[in-house]
Amino acid sequence: MEEVDVEPTVTNIPGIRHGKHMGFAWGPGDILVYETQFKPSGSLLSGPGGSFIHKVRKDEDIYSPILRKLFNESHHIFVGLQTIKEDLPSKSKRPQFVSISRNYRSVIRACMEELQQVAVSTRDTEMGTQYGNQVSILLAIELIWNLCEVLFIDAAPAGSLLLHLLDWVRLHKADVDEKAKDVLQSDSPAEHHNYWDVVVSYVLQGRLEEARQMLVKQATLHPASRNMYKLMDNLLSKMPFYNPGGTQTLTEFDVKWRNWHEEVDRYLKDNSFASNQHLELICKILVGDEDALLEQKELLSTWYHFLVTRLLYCHPTVKPTELHYYAQSCLTMFLDSRSVQEPLDSILLAAFEFDIYLVIKDCSIVLNNWWFVAHLTDLLDHCKLLQSHNLNFGSNMREFLLLEYASGLFTHHSLWQCAVDYFDHCPELGRAYLELQIERVPLDTERKALKVLRICEERQMSEQVRSICKIMAMRALRNNRLGSALSWSIRAKDAAFATLISERFLQDYCAKGTFSDLDLIDNLGPAMLLSDRLTFLGKYREFHKLYGEKRFKEAAKLLLSLMTAKIAPRSFWMTLLTDALPLLEQKEVIFSADQTYDLMYCLEELTTSLDTAAPAADTPMQEEDVEQTKVELLRLSLARNLAMAIVKEGTVET
């Protein structure tokens, strides 16, 4: 598509003085704007800059609670559309596409009705105006979508086309029903001031049966003109309408319609209705008199209503390829030279010209968000109507619009979850966009973090998984929630961070004498192999469990292996040797002679390293005495245990 040659809309920011230099920062969906200290040359303004930072939102609609329902409901329809199998023949898929299109329109209508109710009930004038504007936008969206459904998705042929266009006009010109209700509820409907407006409106919309029922009331009131009303009733009842499901061919219908048209024209020329201006007007409309139709501009209200009425009474077998000619001529006739063509007129005209790309382009410019163009383009693409149109920057038009729409959703605190599915169905750039956007989701709570994490894990986004886990682990560690921090670091497979948290667990144990988060440590499983320190933490906890269950020999063997295999950090050896004291003091020999020698070796290695290390300046003398006492007690217990073990082992051998 060519470059958009329109002026950008101006957003006025209250509180900013004219002529001040502005600074700004771009966000994914918003812009932050602020006054700066910079003073342009020649500026007469002085004083400090403003103290406010203004937030300018690109898409305000996603923050409307009612329109949020539109985004949520249409998301489900979109996902369902993607599941339609590509290998099905296009004829069997068309009814499904039409059904999906109607589902989209029903969601638009539901939101529109809710907005109308809120607009009427609200006491806030400004909010009422805002709701009213949103209703107008949704009305236009539904009008355009319905026409695109008729022309592009359903692709109605000649004959059926006019019937669909009649339904389209009737749906979007419903004020006649309100008028008819007022007329029929009055004491004398035939004398009501809106009576003839209702009858003529019915005829203009091709609702001839309802027009006949209204005319009966007038005929009853004027017995002298009964024959004239009967003649009009006969003409209205005889007007043929094409039946797509019937046996009649389009040619046979055309012949029948021409005979009826000639009959009506004959009665008009015979002045059969000259004595009644209202019936004569109806007769002129039935023959398609352009002047008579243009006199009813107020009742028609729009050029496209005029177009459909003109086709009904002049060209009922119009072909899709002929529509653009009639549409252009009706627009020219209906709008006088002083009228300005509205953007909606241009979009509808482009649709009648079957220029899909111009419809999408103009809607992208006029509408205030990407919802409409993204979903309509996606549906048209599934109908194989956009296959030849690729953009110059890497993706086709469907994908480009879906990416823009989904990027907007990602700025919302809850709608970002819907956006994920849109990115999933953009094969070229969807994953790259998702990877960038998912990192910007604020992880306010652990529940939200788990949602984001699950999305990343399902799509094998390993970098993002690690990033999320590290952020949450660091946050938990800052809040001294060691169990949560360890859990997140294990999920991130971050060995260095797991080592750091394991150290904190061990420090806490040394300070308090107990472990926190026992459930987590008890169920580490293979995850303990992530780092040596985590392995030690898991095994050390296992030693405590064995000791608690009085399985002393297994506990002793595990304790010794932690030191001899160098799994335990050297700084923790004294704690492990101290844990061995109760086992050494048992009546039953727990450690064998060889195991006792190993313990002695570990103790000597530890004391040697402590002797060679320079004593810390801030270490109190009392602590050094305590450590020395521990060493002496350990040597004594080890010597006693070694003697008992040698005696026991020697006794067994003899």
Side-chain angles (χ1 to χ4, degrees):
M1 293 193 302
E2 63 271 21
E3 289 295 316
V4 176
D5 50 353
V6 293
E7 288 295 320
T9 55
V10 176
T11 301
N12 291 313
I13 303 173
I16 290 183
R17 292 176 290 171
H18 181 72
K20 285 293 290 183
H21 187 266
M22 302 303 300
F24 62 89
W26 292 97
D30 306 326
I31 308 171
L32 297 179
V33 182
Y34 51 90
E35 285 189 25
T36 69
Q37 299 287 351
F38 178 77
K39 185 179 178 183
S41 57
S43 174
L44 300 176
L45 289 173
S46 61
S51 58
F52 294 100
I53 295 176
H54 303 271
K55 187 176 184 179
V56 183
R57 283 176 175 163
K58 184 171 66 174
D59 185 1
E60 187 67 23
D61 286 348
I62 62 172
Y63 298 95
S64 165
I66 298 172
L67 290 178
R68 210 176 304 157
K69 295 178 184 176
L70 173 68
F71 301 132
N72 277 317
E73 293 295 325
S74 57
H75 161 253
H76 296 303
I77 300 169
F78 170 83
V79 173
L81 173 58
Q82 313 310 310
T83 61
I84 294 179
K85 294 179 180 177
E86 290 289 328
D87 54 354
L88 288 174
S90 56
K91 280 189 178 180
S92 62
K93 283 193 287 190
R94 183 180 294 174
Q96 294 182 65
F97 292 144
V98 172
S99 174
I100 287 168
S101 177
R102 287 173 183 165
N103 288 343
Y104 275 126
R105 288 199 294 114
S106 69
V107 171
I108 297 171
R109 284 239 154 224
C111 285
M112 195 160 48
E113 288 168 10
E114 191 173 347
L115 279 169
Q116 281 175 325
Q117 290 172 3
V118 176
V120 171
S121 62
T122 187
R123 294 180 181 179
D124 188 333
T125 309
E126 189 178 337
M127 288 303 295
T129 305
Q130 185 180 328
Y131 288 134
N133 292 338
Q134 289 175 340
V135 168
S136 301
I137 292 169
L138 287 180
L139 270 169
I141 283 175
E142 211 260 331
L143 179 75
I144 299 165
W145 191 302
N146 196 348
L147 183 60
C148 291
E149 180 186 302
V150 170
L151 300 178
F152 306 138
I153 301 167
D154 203 4
S160 301
L161 176 60
L162 182 61
L163 299 177
H164 286 300
L165 290 175
L166 279 171
D167 290 337
W168 174 61
V169 162
R170 289 167 188 168
L171 183 64
H172 298 279
K173 190 73 172 70
D175 60 335
V176 63
D177 294 312
E178 289 295 321
K179 278 187 184 178
K181 188 178 178 182
D182 291 340
V183 169
L184 293 171
Q185 286 177 348
S186 65
D187 296 332
S188 178
E191 294 178 335
H192 195 279
H193 67 279
N194 280 332
Y195 171 82
W196 283 108
D197 281 353
V198 171
V199 175
V200 173
S201 294
Y202 277 146
V203 175
L204 290 171
Q205 290 189 9
R207 297 162 68 174
L208 303 187
E209 195 59 41
E210 288 150 294
R212 288 174 64 202
Q213 290 171 12
M214 293 293 285
L215 285 172
V216 168
K217 300 182 185 301
Q218 193 69 222
T220 308
L221 198 66
H222 300 96
S225 305
R226 187 171 295 170
N227 288 336
M228 196 186 305
Y229 281 102
K230 191 174 182 180
L231 177 60
M232 176 55 71
D233 183 73
N234 186 44
L235 289 175
L236 292 173
S237 66
K238 284 167 64 178
M239 179 180 175
F241 283 88
Y242 181 67
N243 180 12
T247 55
Q248 191 180 49
T249 64
L250 190 62
T251 307
E252 289 169 343
F253 162 75
D254 190 44
V255 171
K256 189 176 179 181
W257 181 86
R258 288 182 185 280
N259 291 335
W260 170 84
H261 194 264
E262 287 170 5
E263 183 183 354
V264 177
D265 192 43
R266 191 164 58 249
Y267 281 119
L268 182 63
K269 287 175 179 175
D270 290 349
N271 294 318
S272 301
F273 303 102
S275 60
N276 189 314
Q277 60 173 352
H278 298 297
L279 293 182
E280 187 176 36
L281 171 62
I282 292 172
C283 193
K284 285 180 179 179
I285 292 171
L286 293 179
V287 295
D289 186 301
E290 286 179 0
D291 293 331
L293 287 172
L294 288 170
E295 284 172 10
Q296 305 307 311
K297 274 188 179 183
E298 192 174 331
L299 295 179
L300 288 167
S301 73
T302 60
W303 66 269
Y304 46 88
H305 189 349
F306 171 53
L307 164 67
V308 175
T309 303
R310 185 183 172 203
L311 292 175
L312 175 64
Y313 296 116
C314 297
H315 311 284
T317 57
V318 64
K319 296 175 183 175
T321 52
E322 299 167 343
L323 271 179
H324 69 94
Y325 163 73
Y326 294 115
Q328 185 63 66
S329 64
C330 286
L331 178 64
T332 306
M333 283 190 282
F334 197 84
L335 298 179
D336 55 44
S337 56
R338 290 170 296 175
S339 300
V340 179
Q341 190 170 313
E342 296 290 332
L344 179 61
D345 300 327
S346 304
I347 293 166
L348 295 176
L349 193 61
F352 282 122
E353 291 172 353
F354 284 82
D355 192 340
I356 296 174
Y357 305 111
L358 187 56
V359 170
I360 294 168
K361 173 191 170 183
D362 287 352
C363 287
S364 300
I365 296 169
V366 172
L367 297 176
N368 57 346
N369 67 60
W370 297 100
W371 180 88
F372 173 71
V373 287
H375 289 88
L376 180 63
T377 304
D378 174 59
L379 184 54
L380 294 175
D381 187 74
H382 277 82
C383 296
K384 307 293 184 188
L385 295 171
L386 301 174
Q387 297 304 301
S388 61
H389 203 81
N390 288 318
L391 302 176
N392 300 324
F393 37 84
S395 65
N396 58 37
M397 186 161 64
R398 168 194 173 270
E399 181 161 320
F400 169 75
L401 293 172
L402 286 177
L403 291 171
E404 287 296 317
Y405 171 65
S407 297
L409 291 184
F410 245 99
T411 63
H412 192 268
H413 64 87
S414 63
L415 291 174
W416 65 270
Q417 295 172 79
C418 297
V420 173
D421 287 320
Y422 290 95
F423 285 138
D424 281 345
H425 292 99
C426 294
E428 290 183 44
L429 298 174
R431 185 179 175 89
Y433 268 68
L434 179 57
E435 287 175 353
L436 291 171
Q437 293 284 359
I438 204 90
E439 291 177 350
R440 294 189 175 121
V441 176
L443 306 175
D444 307 318
T445 63
E446 197 152 312
R447 185 181 175 190
K448 190 171 182 180
L450 287 169
K451 279 184 184 178
V452 178
L453 190 66
R454 187 175 66 251
I455 288 167
C456 295
E457 285 176 341
E458 286 170 355
R459 290 156 183 79
Q460 286 86 46
M461 294 162 61
S462 53
E463 281 298 318
Q464 284 69 28
V465 168
R466 277 196 291 274
S467 174
I468 293 162
C469 291
K470 284 180 181 179
I471 291 167
M472 296 307 293
M474 188 62 76
R475 187 178 298 171
L477 186 61
R478 280 200 299 266
N479 295 327
N480 208 32
R481 294 166 55 226
L482 297 181
S484 179
L486 181 58
S487 176
W488 283 111
S489 64
I490 289 170
R491 287 189 89 155
K493 296 183 173 58
D494 188 336
F497 205 71
T499 300
L500 175 68
I501 298 166
S502 301
E503 287 280 7
R504 285 285 298 273
F505 266 106
L506 295 171
Q507 287 169 14
D508 269 20
Y509 173 77
C510 291
K512 300 174 185 175
T514 56
F515 282 113
S516 57
D517 300 286
L518 288 178
D519 286 345
L520 175 64
I521 301 172
D522 287 345
N523 296 287
L524 283 173
M528 71 169 66
L529 301 175
L530 182 62
S531 79
D532 289 346
R533 199 68 82 251
L534 187 58
T535 304
F536 169 68
L537 178 65
K539 290 295 181 183
Y540 186 52
R541 168 59 191 156
E542 191 180 326
F543 159 75
H544 278 275
K545 284 175 70 179
L546 292 171
Y547 187 87
E549 294 166 4
K550 299 191 184 305
R551 294 158 64 185
F552 297 133
K553 286 191 178 294
E554 293 174 57
K557 185 178 179 183
L558 178 57
L559 184 71
L560 184 62
S561 67
L562 291 175
M563 287 188 286
T564 55
K566 308 295 186 200
I567 295 173
R570 183 65 62 89
S571 59
F572 212 75
W573 277 22
M574 182 56 77
T575 305
L576 294 177
L577 288 165
T578 307
D579 287 334
L581 268 174
L583 296 173
L584 291 168
E585 295 297 327
Q586 292 287 330
K587 290 180 181 178
E588 181 190 355
V589 177
I590 305 298
F591 288 101
S592 67
D594 289 340
Q595 289 176 327
T596 309
Y597 281 126
D598 288 335
L599 283 173
M600 286 177 162
Y601 174 77
C602 291
L603 178 60
E604 290 308 313
E605 193 175 336
L606 179 62
T607 52
T608 305
S609 64
L610 289 173
D611 290 340
T612 55
D618 57 348
T619 305
M621 289 296 294
Q622 191 177 355
E623 283 188 24
E624 288 185 24
D625 291 343
V626 169
E627 290 298 313
Q628 193 60 39
T629 304
K630 282 183 185 177
V631 172
E632 289 172 4
L633 283 172
L634 281 167
R635 282 177 175 157
L636 183 61
S637 294
L638 286 168
R640 190 185 300 137
N641 188 82
L642 180 60
M644 290 168 63
I646 291 170
V647 170
K648 182 182 177 183
E649 288 168 17
T651 305
V652 170
E653 286 175 9
T654 57

